[in-house]
Amino acid sequence: MRDEWFGNSQEGIEGIQAHLRKQGLLREVQPTEFLQGLTLLYSLEKRQQDLKAGKTGKQITGVTAKREAVLSLPVDAFQKWKQPLMQGYWKAAKFLRQ
């Protein structure tokens, strides 16, 4: 996780932080905020799957970024949503600059 955020020059990994900092408006994005964004995307995906499966009421996963949801985020969800979230941050920064 540390290498994902800060990068690792020995392994040629550009960190998420370094990528976001290239955009002035994104310099202050913190790792916890990024993880909360990932968790929101993941829980939204799970909710959509539940609705598609015909679940109702409390069976449907809620969209959340609470601490327990962030801590239970699976690695595969992190890998799946990392790029789309970074692109979303960039698009939001571009929108705000305009």
Side-chain angles (χ1 to χ4, degrees):
M1 187 67 197
R2 189 169 194 66
D3 284 351
E4 289 285 346
W5 184 255
F6 294 108
N8 185 331
S9 59
Q10 294 174 342
E11 295 185 25
I13 299 171
E14 178 188 33
I16 295 167
Q17 182 183 43
H19 180 72
L20 293 178
R21 285 191 171 177
K22 291 176 185 175
Q23 192 65 256
L25 290 172
L26 303 177
R27 290 186 191 276
E28 300 300 319
V29 174
Q30 298 298 311
T32 52
E33 297 163 344
F34 192 81
L35 286 172
Q36 285 176 327
L38 288 170
T39 306
L40 286 169
L41 290 168
Y42 174 66
S43 61
L44 175 63
E45 178 185 46
K46 285 183 68 174
R47 179 182 181 83
Q48 291 169 338
Q49 290 171 353
D50 289 349
L51 291 170
K52 193 174 184 178
K55 293 182 180 179
T56 60
K58 295 199 181 247
Q59 296 174 329
I60 300 171
T61 302
V63 178
T64 183
K66 290 183 179 178
R67 185 175 189 263
E68 64 187 40
V70 172
L71 292 174
S72 65
L73 184 71
V75 174
D76 61 327
F78 177 87
Q79 294 300 328
K80 178 179 181 178
W81 291 108
K82 174 179 67 169
Q83 242 359 78
L85 183 58
M86 284 195 298
Q87 291 170 352
Y89 269 110
W90 273 72
K91 287 178 183 178
K94 183 178 177 180
F95 173 78
L96 291 171
R97 270 196 331 272
Q98 295 175 350

Coordinates of all heavy atoms in Angstrom, one line a residue:
M1 N 0.8 -1.2 0.0 CA 0.0 0.0 0.0 C 0.9 1.3 0.0 O 0.6 2.2 -0.7 CB -0.9 -0.1 1.2 CG -1.9 1.0 1.3 SD -3.1 0.8 0.0 CE -3.8 2.3 0.0
R2 N 1.9 1.2 0.8 CA 2.8 2.3 0.9 C 3.4 2.7 -0.5 O 3.5 3.8 -0.9 CB 3.9 2.0 1.9 CG 4.8 3.2 2.2 CD 5.6 2.8 3.5 NE 6.3 3.9 4.1 CZ 5.7 4.9 4.7 NH1 4.4 5.0 4.8 NH2 6.4 5.9 5.3
D3 N 3.9 1.6 -1.2 CA 4.5 1.8 -2.6 C 3.4 2.4 -3.5 O 3.7 3.2 -4.4 CB 5.0 0.5 -3.1 CG 6.4 0.2 -2.5 OD1 6.9 1.0 -1.7 OD2 6.8 -1.0 -2.7
E4 N 2.2 1.9 -3.4 CA 1.1 2.4 -4.3 C 0.9 3.9 -4.1 O 0.7 4.7 -5.1 CB -0.2 1.7 -4.0 CG -0.2 0.3 -4.4 CD -0.4 0.1 -5.9 OE1 -0.7 1.1 -6.6 OE2 -0.2 -1.0 -6.4
W5 N 1.0 4.4 -2.8 CA 0.7 5.8 -2.6 C 2.0 6.7 -2.9 O 1.9 7.7 -3.6 CB 0.2 6.1 -1.2 CG -0.1 7.5 -0.9 CD1 0.6 8.4 -0.2 CD2 -1.2 8.2 -1.5 NE1 0.0 9.7 -0.3 CE2 -1.1 9.6 -1.1 CE3 -2.3 7.9 -2.3 CZ2 -2.0 10.5 -1.4 CZ3 -3.2 8.8 -2.6 CH2 -3.1 10.2 -2.2
F6 N 3.1 6.3 -2.3 CA 4.3 7.1 -2.4 C 5.2 6.7 -3.6 O 6.0 7.5 -4.0 CB 5.1 7.0 -1.1 CG 4.5 7.6 0.1 CD1 4.0 6.8 1.1 CD2 4.4 9.0 0.2 CE1 3.3 7.4 2.2 CE2 3.7 9.5 1.3 CZ 3.2 8.7 2.3
G7 N 5.0 5.5 -4.1 CA 5.8 5.1 -5.2 C 7.0 4.4 -4.7 O 7.3 4.3 -3.6
N8 N 7.8 3.8 -5.7 CA 9.0 3.1 -5.4 C 9.9 3.3 -6.6 O 9.7 2.6 -7.6 CB 8.7 1.6 -5.1 CG 9.9 0.9 -4.6 OD1 11.1 1.2 -5.0 ND2 9.7 -0.2 -3.8
S9 N 10.9 4.1 -6.5 CA 11.8 4.4 -7.6 C 12.6 3.2 -8.0 O 13.0 3.0 -9.1 CB 12.7 5.6 -7.3 OG 13.5 5.3 -6.1
Q10 N 13.0 2.3 -7.0 CA 13.8 1.1 -7.3 C 13.0 0.2 -8.2 O 13.6 -0.6 -9.0 CB 14.2 0.4 -6.0 CG 15.1 1.3 -5.2 CD 15.4 0.6 -3.8 OE1 14.7 -0.2 -3.4 NE2 16.5 1.1 -3.2
E11 N 11.7 0.1 -8.0 CA 10.9 -0.8 -8.8 C 10.1 -0.1 -10.0 O 9.3 -0.7 -10.7 CB 9.8 -1.5 -7.9 CG 10.5 -2.4 -6.9 CD 9.5 -3.2 -6.1 OE1 8.4 -3.4 -6.6 OE2 9.9 -3.6 -5.0
G12 N 10.4 1.2 -10.1 CA 9.8 2.0 -11.2 C 8.3 2.2 -11.1 O 7.6 2.4 -12.1
I13 N 7.9 2.3 -9.8 CA 6.5 2.6 -9.6 C 6.3 4.1 -9.2 O 6.8 4.6 -8.3 CB 6.0 1.7 -8.4 CG1 6.1 0.3 -8.7 CG2 4.5 2.1 -8.0 CD1 5.9 -0.6 -7.5
E14 N 5.5 4.7 -10.1 CA 5.1 6.1 -9.8 C 3.9 6.1 -8.8 O 2.9 5.4 -9.1 CB 4.7 6.9 -11.0 CG 4.2 8.3 -10.7 CD 3.6 9.1 -11.8 OE1 3.0 8.5 -12.7 OE2 3.8 10.3 -11.8
G15 N 4.0 6.7 -7.7 CA 3.0 6.7 -6.7 C 1.8 7.5 -7.1 O 1.8 8.4 -7.9
I16 N 0.6 7.1 -6.5 CA -0.6 7.9 -6.7 C -0.4 9.3 -6.3 O -0.8 10.2 -7.1 CB -1.8 7.2 -5.9 CG1 -2.0 5.8 -6.4 CG2 -3.0 8.1 -6.0 CD1 -2.9 5.0 -5.5
Q17 N 0.2 9.6 -5.2 CA 0.4 10.9 -4.7 C 1.2 11.7 -5.7 O 0.8 12.9 -6.1 CB 1.2 10.9 -3.4 CG 1.4 12.3 -2.8 CD 2.2 12.2 -1.5 OE1 3.2 11.5 -1.4 NE2 1.8 13.0 -0.5
A18 N 2.3 11.2 -6.3 CA 3.1 11.9 -7.3 C 2.3 12.2 -8.5 O 2.4 13.3 -9.1 CB 4.3 11.1 -7.6
H19 N 1.5 11.3 -8.9 CA 0.6 11.5 -10.1 C -0.4 12.6 -9.9 O -0.6 13.5 -10.7 CB -0.1 10.2 -10.5 CG -1.0 10.3 -11.7 ND1 -0.5 10.4 -12.9 CD2 -2.3 10.3 -11.8 CE1 -1.5 10.6 -13.8 NE2 -2.6 10.5 -13.1
L20 N -1.0 12.6 -8.7 CA -2.0 13.6 -8.4 C -1.4 15.0 -8.2 O -2.0 16.0 -8.6 CB -2.8 13.2 -7.2 CG -3.7 12.0 -7.3 CD1 -4.4 11.7 -6.0 CD2 -4.8 12.2 -8.4
R21 N -0.2 15.0 -7.7 CA 0.4 16.3 -7.4 C 0.9 17.1 -8.7 O 1.2 18.2 -8.6 CB 1.6 16.1 -6.5 CG 1.2 15.9 -5.1 CD 2.4 16.0 -4.1 NE 1.8 15.9 -2.8 CZ 2.6 15.9 -1.7 NH1 3.9 16.0 -1.8 NH2 2.1 15.9 -0.5
K22 N 0.8 16.4 -9.8 CA 1.1 17.0 -11.1 C 0.0 18.1 -11.4 O 0.3 19.0 -12.2 CB 1.2 16.0 -12.2 CG 2.4 15.1 -12.1 CD 2.4 14.1 -13.2 CE 3.6 13.1 -13.0 NZ 3.5 12.0 -14.0
Q23 N -1.1 17.9 -10.8 CA -2.3 18.8 -11.0 C -2.3 19.6 -9.7 O -2.6 19.1 -8.6 CB -3.5 17.9 -11.1 CG -4.7 18.5 -11.6 CD -4.6 19.1 -13.0 OE1 -4.5 20.3 -13.1 NE2 -4.7 18.2 -14.0
G24 N -2.2 20.9 -9.8 CA -2.1 21.8 -8.7 C -3.3 21.7 -7.7 O -3.0 21.7 -6.5
L25 N -4.5 21.5 -8.2 CA -5.6 21.4 -7.3 C -5.7 20.1 -6.5 O -6.4 20.0 -5.6 CB -6.9 21.5 -8.1 CG -7.2 22.9 -8.7 CD1 -8.4 22.8 -9.7 CD2 -7.5 23.9 -7.6
L26 N -4.9 19.2 -7.0 CA -4.9 17.9 -6.3 C -3.7 17.6 -5.3 O -3.6 16.5 -4.8 CB -4.9 16.8 -7.4 CG -6.1 16.8 -8.4 CD1 -5.9 15.7 -9.4 CD2 -7.4 16.7 -7.7
R27 N -2.9 18.6 -5.1 CA -1.8 18.5 -4.3 C -2.1 18.1 -2.8 O -1.3 17.4 -2.2 CB -1.0 19.8 -4.2 CG -0.3 20.1 -5.5 CD 0.6 21.3 -5.4 NE 1.1 21.8 -6.7 CZ 2.1 21.3 -7.3 NH1 2.8 20.3 -6.8 NH2 2.5 21.8 -8.5
E28 N -3.2 18.4 -2.4 CA -3.6 18.2 -1.0 C -4.4 16.9 -0.7 O -4.9 16.7 0.4 CB -4.3 19.4 -0.4 CG -3.5 20.7 -0.4 CD -2.2 20.6 0.4 OE1 -2.2 20.0 1.5 OE2 -1.2 21.1 -0.1
V29 N -4.6 16.1 -1.8 CA -5.4 14.9 -1.6 C -4.6 14.0 -0.7 O -3.5 13.7 -0.9 CB -5.7 14.2 -3.0 CG1 -6.4 12.9 -2.8 CG2 -6.6 15.1 -3.8
Q30 N -5.3 13.5 0.3 CA -4.7 12.6 1.3 C -5.0 11.2 1.0 O -6.0 10.9 0.4 CB -5.2 13.0 2.7 CG -4.8 14.4 3.2 CD -3.3 14.7 3.2 OE1 -2.6 13.9 3.8 NE2 -2.9 15.7 2.6
P31 N -4.1 10.3 1.5 CA -4.4 8.8 1.3 C -5.8 8.4 1.8 O -6.4 7.6 1.2 CB -3.3 8.1 2.0 CG -2.3 9.1 2.5 CD -2.9 10.5 2.3
T32 N -6.2 8.9 3.0 CA -7.5 8.5 3.5 C -8.6 8.9 2.6 O -9.6 8.2 2.4 CB -7.7 9.1 4.9 OG1 -7.5 10.5 4.9 CG2 -6.7 8.4 5.9
E33 N -8.5 10.1 2.0 CA -9.5 10.6 1.1 C -9.6 9.7 -0.2 O -10.7 9.4 -0.7 CB -9.3 12.0 0.7 CG -9.3 13.0 1.9 CD -8.7 14.3 1.6 OE1 -7.9 14.5 0.6 OE2 -9.0 15.2 2.4
F34 N -8.4 9.3 -0.6 CA -8.4 8.5 -1.8 C -9.0 7.1 -1.5 O -9.8 6.6 -2.3 CB -6.9 8.3 -2.3 CG -6.8 7.7 -3.7 CD1 -7.0 8.5 -4.8 CD2 -6.5 6.3 -3.8 CE1 -6.9 7.9 -6.1 CE2 -6.4 5.8 -5.1 CZ -6.6 6.5 -6.2
L35 N -8.7 6.5 -0.4 CA -9.2 5.2 0.0 C -10.7 5.3 0.2 O -11.5 4.4 -0.1 CB -8.6 4.7 1.3 CG -7.2 4.2 1.1 CD1 -6.5 3.9 2.5 CD2 -7.2 2.9 0.3
Q36 N -11.2 6.5 0.7 CA -12.7 6.6 0.9 C -13.3 6.7 -0.5 O -14.4 6.1 -0.7 CB -13.0 7.9 1.7 CG -12.7 7.8 3.2 CD -12.9 9.1 3.9 OE1 -12.7 10.1 3.4 NE2 -13.3 8.9 5.2
G37 N -12.7 7.3 -1.4 CA -13.2 7.4 -2.8 C -13.3 6.0 -3.4 O -14.3 5.6 -4.0
L38 N -12.2 5.2 -3.2 CA -12.2 3.8 -3.7 C -13.4 3.0 -3.0 O -14.0 2.2 -3.7 CB -10.9 3.1 -3.4 CG -9.7 3.6 -4.2 CD1 -8.4 3.0 -3.6 CD2 -9.8 3.2 -5.6
T39 N -13.5 3.2 -1.8 CA -14.6 2.5 -1.0 C -16.0 2.9 -1.5 O -16.8 2.0 -1.6 CB -14.4 2.7 0.5 OG1 -13.1 2.4 0.9 CG2 -15.4 1.9 1.3
L40 N -16.2 4.1 -1.8 CA -17.5 4.5 -2.4 C -17.7 3.9 -3.7 O -18.8 3.4 -3.9 CB -17.5 6.1 -2.5 CG -17.7 6.9 -1.2 CD1 -17.4 8.3 -1.5 CD2 -19.0 6.6 -0.6
L41 N -16.7 3.8 -4.6 CA -16.9 3.2 -5.9 C -17.2 1.7 -5.7 O -18.1 1.1 -6.4 CB -15.7 3.4 -6.7 CG -15.5 4.8 -7.2 CD1 -14.1 5.0 -7.8 CD2 -16.6 5.2 -8.2
Y42 N -16.4 1.0 -4.8 CA -16.6 -0.4 -4.6 C -18.0 -0.7 -4.0 O -18.7 -1.6 -4.5 CB -15.5 -0.9 -3.7 CG -15.7 -2.3 -3.3 CD1 -15.6 -3.4 -4.2 CD2 -15.9 -2.7 -1.9 CE1 -15.7 -4.7 -3.8 CE2 -16.1 -4.0 -1.6 CZ -16.0 -5.0 -2.5 OH -16.1 -6.3 -2.1
S43 N -18.4 0.1 -3.0 CA -19.7 -0.2 -2.4 C -20.9 0.1 -3.3 O -21.9 -0.6 -3.3 CB -19.9 0.5 -1.1 OG -19.8 1.9 -1.2
L44 N -20.7 1.1 -4.2 CA -21.7 1.4 -5.2 C -21.8 0.2 -6.2 O -22.9 -0.2 -6.6 CB -21.4 2.7 -6.0 CG -22.3 3.0 -7.2 CD1 -23.7 3.2 -6.7 CD2 -21.7 4.2 -7.9
E45 N -20.7 -0.3 -6.6 CA -20.7 -1.5 -7.5 C -21.4 -2.7 -6.8 O -22.2 -3.4 -7.4 CB -19.3 -1.9 -7.8 CG -19.2 -3.1 -8.7 CD -17.7 -3.6 -9.0 OE1 -16.9 -3.6 -8.0 OE2 -17.4 -3.8 -10.1
K46 N -21.1 -2.9 -5.5 CA -21.8 -4.0 -4.8 C -23.3 -3.8 -4.7 O -24.1 -4.7 -4.9 CB -21.2 -4.2 -3.4 CG -19.8 -4.8 -3.4 CD -19.3 -5.0 -2.1 CE -20.1 -6.1 -1.3 NZ -19.6 -6.4 0.0
R47 N -23.7 -2.5 -4.5 CA -25.1 -2.2 -4.4 C -25.8 -2.5 -5.7 O -26.9 -3.0 -5.8 CB -25.3 -0.7 -4.0 CG -26.7 -0.3 -4.0 CD -26.8 1.2 -3.6 NE -28.2 1.6 -3.5 CZ -29.0 1.5 -2.5 NH1 -28.5 0.9 -1.4 NH2 -30.2 1.9 -2.5
Q48 N -25.2 -2.1 -6.8 CA -25.7 -2.3 -8.2 C -25.9 -3.8 -8.4 O -26.9 -4.2 -9.0 CB -24.9 -1.6 -9.2 CG -25.0 -0.1 -9.2 CD -24.0 0.6 -10.0 OE1 -23.0 0.1 -10.4 NE2 -24.3 1.9 -10.4
Q49 N -24.9 -4.6 -8.0 CA -25.0 -6.0 -8.1 C -26.1 -6.6 -7.3 O -26.9 -7.5 -7.8 CB -23.7 -6.7 -7.7 CG -22.5 -6.4 -8.7 CD -21.2 -6.9 -8.1 OE1 -21.1 -7.3 -7.0 NE2 -20.2 -6.8 -8.9
D50 N -26.3 -6.1 -6.1 CA -27.4 -6.6 -5.3 C -28.8 -6.2 -5.9 O -29.7 -7.1 -5.9 CB -27.3 -5.9 -3.9 CG -26.2 -6.4 -3.0 OD1 -25.5 -7.4 -3.4 OD2 -25.9 -5.8 -2.0
L51 N -28.9 -5.0 -6.4 CA -30.2 -4.7 -7.1 C -30.4 -5.5 -8.3 O -31.6 -5.9 -8.5 CB -30.1 -3.2 -7.4 CG -30.2 -2.2 -6.3 CD1 -29.9 -0.8 -6.8 CD2 -31.5 -2.3 -5.6
K52 N -29.4 -5.8 -9.0 CA -29.5 -6.6 -10.2 C -29.9 -8.1 -9.9 O -30.6 -8.7 -10.6 CB -28.2 -6.6 -11.0 CG -28.3 -7.2 -12.4 CD -27.0 -7.0 -13.1 CE -27.1 -7.5 -14.6 NZ -25.9 -7.2 -15.3
A53 N -29.4 -8.5 -8.7 CA -29.7 -9.9 -8.2 C -31.1 -10.0 -7.6 O -31.5 -11.0 -7.2 CB -28.7 -10.3 -7.2
G54 N -31.8 -8.8 -7.5 CA -33.2 -8.8 -7.0 C -33.3 -8.7 -5.5 O -34.4 -9.0 -4.9
K55 N -32.2 -8.4 -4.8 CA -32.3 -8.2 -3.4 C -33.1 -7.0 -3.0 O -33.2 -6.0 -3.8 CB -30.9 -8.1 -2.8 CG -30.0 -9.3 -3.0 CD -28.7 -9.2 -2.3 CE -27.9 -10.5 -2.5 NZ -26.5 -10.3 -1.9
T56 N -33.7 -7.0 -1.8 CA -34.5 -5.8 -1.4 C -34.1 -5.5 0.0 O -33.6 -6.3 0.8 CB -36.0 -6.2 -1.5 OG1 -36.2 -7.3 -0.6 CG2 -36.4 -6.5 -2.9
G57 N -34.6 -4.3 0.4 CA -34.4 -3.8 1.8 C -33.0 -3.9 2.3 O -32.1 -3.4 1.7
K58 N -32.8 -4.5 3.5 CA -31.5 -4.5 4.2 C -30.5 -5.5 3.5 O -29.4 -5.5 3.9 CB -31.7 -4.8 5.6 CG -32.5 -3.7 6.4 CD -32.2 -3.8 7.9 CE -33.0 -2.7 8.5 NZ -32.2 -1.7 9.1
Q59 N -31.0 -6.2 2.6 CA -30.1 -7.1 1.8 C -29.2 -6.4 0.9 O -28.2 -6.8 0.5 CB -30.9 -8.2 1.0 CG -31.7 -9.1 1.8 CD -32.6 -10.0 1.0 OE1 -33.0 -9.6 -0.1 NE2 -32.9 -11.2 1.4
I60 N -29.6 -5.2 0.5 CA -28.9 -4.3 -0.4 C -27.8 -3.6 0.3 O -27.9 -3.0 1.3 CB -29.8 -3.3 -1.1 CG1 -31.0 -4.0 -1.8 CG2 -29.1 -2.4 -2.1 CD1 -32.0 -3.1 -2.3
T61 N -26.6 -3.8 -0.3 CA -25.4 -3.1 0.3 C -25.6 -1.6 0.2 O -26.0 -1.1 -0.8 CB -24.1 -3.5 -0.5 OG1 -24.0 -4.9 -0.5 CG2 -22.9 -2.9 0.0
G62 N -25.2 -0.9 1.3 CA -25.3 0.5 1.3 C -24.0 1.1 0.7 O -22.9 0.6 0.8
V63 N -24.1 2.3 0.1 CA -23.0 3.0 -0.4 C -22.4 3.8 0.8 O -23.0 4.6 1.4 CB -23.3 4.0 -1.6 CG1 -22.1 4.7 -2.1 CG2 -24.0 3.2 -2.7
T64 N -21.1 3.5 1.1 CA -20.5 4.0 2.3 C -19.0 4.2 2.1 O -18.4 3.6 1.3 CB -20.8 3.1 3.5 OG1 -20.2 3.7 4.6 CG2 -20.2 1.7 3.3
A65 N -18.5 5.1 3.0 CA -17.0 5.2 3.1 C -16.6 5.3 4.5 O -15.6 5.9 4.9 CB -16.6 6.5 2.4
K66 N -17.4 4.6 5.4 CA -17.1 4.6 6.8 C -15.8 3.8 7.0 O -15.4 3.0 6.2 CB -18.3 4.0 7.6 CG -19.5 4.8 7.6 CD -20.6 4.2 8.5 CE -21.8 5.1 8.5 NZ -22.9 4.5 9.3
R67 N -15.2 4.0 8.2 CA -13.9 3.4 8.5 C -13.9 1.9 8.3 O -13.0 1.3 7.7 CB -13.6 3.7 10.0 CG -12.3 3.3 10.4 CD -12.0 3.8 11.8 NE -10.6 3.5 12.2 CZ -10.2 2.5 12.9 NH1 -11.1 1.6 13.3 NH2 -9.0 2.3 13.2
E68 N -15.0 1.2 8.8 CA -15.0 -0.3 8.7 C -15.1 -0.7 7.2 O -14.5 -1.7 6.9 CB -16.2 -0.8 9.5 CG -17.6 -0.4 9.0 CD -18.7 -0.9 9.9 OE1 -18.5 -0.8 11.1 OE2 -19.7 -1.3 9.3
A69 N -15.8 0.1 6.4 CA -15.8 -0.3 5.0 C -14.5 -0.1 4.3 O -14.0 -0.9 3.5 CB -16.9 0.5 4.3
V70 N -13.8 1.0 4.7 CA -12.4 1.3 4.1 C -11.5 0.1 4.5 O -10.7 -0.4 3.7 CB -11.9 2.6 4.6 CG1 -10.4 2.8 4.2 CG2 -12.8 3.8 4.0
L71 N -11.5 -0.3 5.8 CA -10.6 -1.3 6.3 C -10.9 -2.7 5.7 O -10.0 -3.5 5.6 CB -10.7 -1.4 7.8 CG -10.1 -0.2 8.5 CD1 -10.4 -0.3 10.0 CD2 -8.6 0.0 8.3
S72 N -12.1 -2.9 5.2 CA -12.5 -4.2 4.6 C -12.4 -4.2 3.1 O -12.8 -5.1 2.5 CB -13.8 -4.6 5.1 OG -14.8 -3.8 4.6
L73 N -11.9 -3.1 2.5 CA -11.8 -3.0 1.1 C -10.8 -4.1 0.6 O -9.7 -4.1 1.0 CB -11.2 -1.6 0.7 CG -11.1 -1.3 -0.8 CD1 -12.5 -1.1 -1.4 CD2 -10.3 0.0 -1.0
P74 N -11.3 -4.9 -0.4 CA -10.4 -6.0 -0.9 C -9.3 -5.4 -1.8 O -9.5 -4.4 -2.5 CB -11.3 -6.9 -1.6 CG -12.7 -6.4 -1.6 CD -12.6 -5.1 -0.9
V75 N -8.2 -6.1 -1.9 CA -7.1 -5.6 -2.8 C -7.5 -5.6 -4.2 O -7.2 -4.6 -4.9 CB -5.9 -6.6 -2.6 CG1 -4.8 -6.2 -3.6 CG2 -5.3 -6.5 -1.2
D76 N -8.3 -6.5 -4.7 CA -8.7 -6.5 -6.1 C -9.6 -5.3 -6.4 O -9.6 -4.8 -7.5 CB -9.4 -7.8 -6.5 CG -10.7 -8.1 -5.7 OD1 -10.8 -7.8 -4.5 OD2 -11.6 -8.8 -6.3
A77 N -10.4 -4.9 -5.4 CA -11.2 -3.7 -5.6 C -10.3 -2.4 -5.7 O -10.5 -1.5 -6.5 CB -12.2 -3.5 -4.5
F78 N -9.3 -2.4 -4.9 CA -8.3 -1.3 -4.9 C -7.7 -1.2 -6.3 O -7.6 -0.2 -6.9 CB -7.2 -1.5 -3.9 CG -6.1 -0.5 -3.9 CD1 -6.3 0.7 -3.2 CD2 -5.0 -0.7 -4.7 CE1 -5.3 1.7 -3.3 CE2 -4.0 0.3 -4.7 CZ -4.1 1.5 -4.0
Q79 N -7.2 -2.4 -6.8 CA -6.6 -2.4 -8.2 C -7.6 -2.0 -9.3 O -7.2 -1.4 -10.2 CB -6.0 -3.8 -8.4 CG -4.9 -4.2 -7.5 CD -3.7 -3.2 -7.7 OE1 -3.4 -2.7 -8.7 NE2 -3.0 -3.0 -6.6
K80 N -8.8 -2.5 -9.1 CA -9.8 -2.2 -10.2 C -10.2 -0.7 -10.2 O -10.4 -0.2 -11.3 CB -11.1 -3.0 -9.9 CG -12.2 -2.8 -10.9 CD -13.4 -3.6 -10.6 CE -14.5 -3.3 -11.6 NZ -15.7 -4.1 -11.4
W81 N -10.3 -0.1 -9.1 CA -10.9 1.3 -9.0 C -9.8 2.4 -8.9 O -10.1 3.6 -9.0 CB -11.9 1.4 -7.9 CG -13.1 0.7 -8.2 CD1 -13.5 -0.5 -7.6 CD2 -14.1 1.0 -9.1 NE1 -14.7 -0.9 -8.1 CE2 -15.1 -0.1 -9.1 CE3 -14.3 2.0 -10.1 CZ2 -16.2 -0.1 -9.9 CZ3 -15.4 2.0 -10.9 CH2 -16.3 1.0 -10.8
K82 N -8.5 2.0 -8.7 CA -7.5 3.0 -8.6 C -7.3 3.9 -9.8 O -7.4 5.1 -9.7 CB -6.1 2.2 -8.4 CG -4.9 3.1 -8.3 CD -3.7 2.3 -8.1 CE -3.4 1.3 -9.2 NZ -2.1 0.7 -9.1
Q83 N -7.2 3.4 -11.0 CA -7.1 4.2 -12.2 C -8.3 5.0 -12.5 O -8.2 6.2 -12.7 CB -6.9 3.2 -13.4 CG -5.6 3.3 -14.2 CD -4.6 4.3 -13.8 OE1 -3.8 4.2 -12.9 NE2 -4.5 5.4 -14.6
P84 N -9.5 4.4 -12.5 CA -10.7 5.3 -12.7 C -10.9 6.4 -11.7 O -11.3 7.5 -12.1 CB -11.9 4.3 -12.6 CG -11.3 3.0 -12.9 CD -9.9 3.0 -12.4
L85 N -10.5 6.2 -10.4 CA -10.6 7.2 -9.4 C -9.6 8.3 -9.7 O -9.9 9.5 -9.6 CB -10.4 6.7 -8.0 CG -10.6 7.7 -6.9 CD1 -11.9 8.4 -6.9 CD2 -10.3 7.1 -5.6
M86 N -8.3 8.0 -10.1 CA -7.3 9.0 -10.4 C -7.8 9.8 -11.6 O -7.7 11.0 -11.6 CB -6.0 8.3 -10.7 CG -5.3 7.9 -9.5 SD -3.5 7.5 -9.7 CE -3.5 6.2 -10.8
Q87 N -8.4 9.2 -12.6 CA -8.9 9.9 -13.8 C -10.0 10.8 -13.4 O -10.2 11.9 -13.9 CB -9.4 8.9 -14.8 CG -8.2 8.1 -15.5 CD -8.7 7.0 -16.4 OE1 -9.9 6.7 -16.4 NE2 -7.8 6.4 -17.1
G88 N -10.9 10.3 -12.5 CA -12.0 11.2 -12.0 C -11.5 12.4 -11.2 O -12.0 13.5 -11.4
Y89 N -10.4 12.3 -10.4 CA -9.8 13.4 -9.8 C -9.3 14.4 -10.8 O -9.5 15.6 -10.6 CB -8.7 13.0 -8.8 CG -9.1 12.6 -7.4 CD1 -9.1 11.3 -6.9 CD2 -9.5 13.7 -6.5 CE1 -9.4 11.1 -5.6 CE2 -9.8 13.4 -5.2 CZ -9.8 12.1 -4.8 OH -10.2 11.8 -3.5
W90 N -8.6 13.9 -11.8 CA -8.1 14.8 -12.9 C -9.2 15.5 -13.6 O -9.1 16.7 -13.9 CB -7.2 14.0 -13.8 CG -5.8 13.9 -13.4 CD1 -5.3 13.1 -12.3 CD2 -4.7 14.6 -13.9 NE1 -4.0 13.3 -12.2 CE2 -3.6 14.1 -13.2 CE3 -4.5 15.5 -14.9 CZ2 -2.3 14.6 -13.4 CZ3 -3.2 15.9 -15.2 CH2 -2.1 15.5 -14.4
K91 N -10.3 14.8 -13.9 CA -11.4 15.5 -14.6 C -12.0 16.5 -13.7 O -12.4 17.6 -14.2 CB -12.4 14.4 -15.1 CG -12.0 13.6 -16.2 CD -13.0 12.5 -16.6 CE -12.5 11.6 -17.7 NZ -13.4 10.6 -18.0
A92 N -12.2 16.2 -12.5 CA -12.8 17.2 -11.5 C -11.9 18.4 -11.4 O -12.4 19.6 -11.4 CB -13.0 16.6 -10.2
A93 N -10.6 18.2 -11.4 CA -9.6 19.4 -11.3 C -9.7 20.2 -12.6 O -9.7 21.5 -12.5 CB -8.2 18.9 -11.1
K94 N -9.8 19.6 -13.7 CA -9.9 20.3 -15.0 C -11.2 21.1 -15.0 O -11.2 22.2 -15.4 CB -9.9 19.3 -16.1 CG -9.9 19.9 -17.5 CD -9.8 18.9 -18.6 CE -10.0 19.5 -20.0 NZ -9.9 18.5 -21.0
F95 N -12.3 20.5 -14.6 CA -13.6 21.1 -14.5 C -13.5 22.4 -13.6 O -14.0 23.4 -14.0 CB -14.7 20.2 -14.0 CG -16.0 20.8 -13.8 CD1 -16.9 21.1 -14.8 CD2 -16.4 21.1 -12.5 CE1 -18.1 21.7 -14.6 CE2 -17.6 21.7 -12.2 CZ -18.5 22.0 -13.3
L96 N -12.9 22.2 -12.5 CA -12.8 23.3 -11.5 C -12.0 24.5 -12.0 O -12.2 25.6 -11.8 CB -12.3 22.9 -10.2 CG -13.3 22.0 -9.4 CD1 -12.6 21.4 -8.2 CD2 -14.5 22.7 -9.0
R97 N -10.9 24.1 -12.8 CA -10.1 25.2 -13.4 C -10.8 26.0 -14.4 O -10.6 27.2 -14.6 CB -8.8 24.5 -14.0 CG -7.7 24.4 -13.1 CD -6.3 24.1 -13.8 NE -6.4 23.5 -15.1 CZ -6.5 22.1 -15.3 NH1 -6.4 21.3 -14.2 NH2 -6.5 21.6 -16.4
Q98 N -11.7 25.3 -15.2 CA -12.4 26.0 -16.2 C -13.5 26.8 -15.6 O -14.0 27.8 -16.1 CB -13.0 25.0 -17.2 CG -11.9 24.3 -18.0 CD -12.5 23.2 -18.9 OE1 -13.6 22.8 -18.8 NE2 -11.6 22.6 -19.7

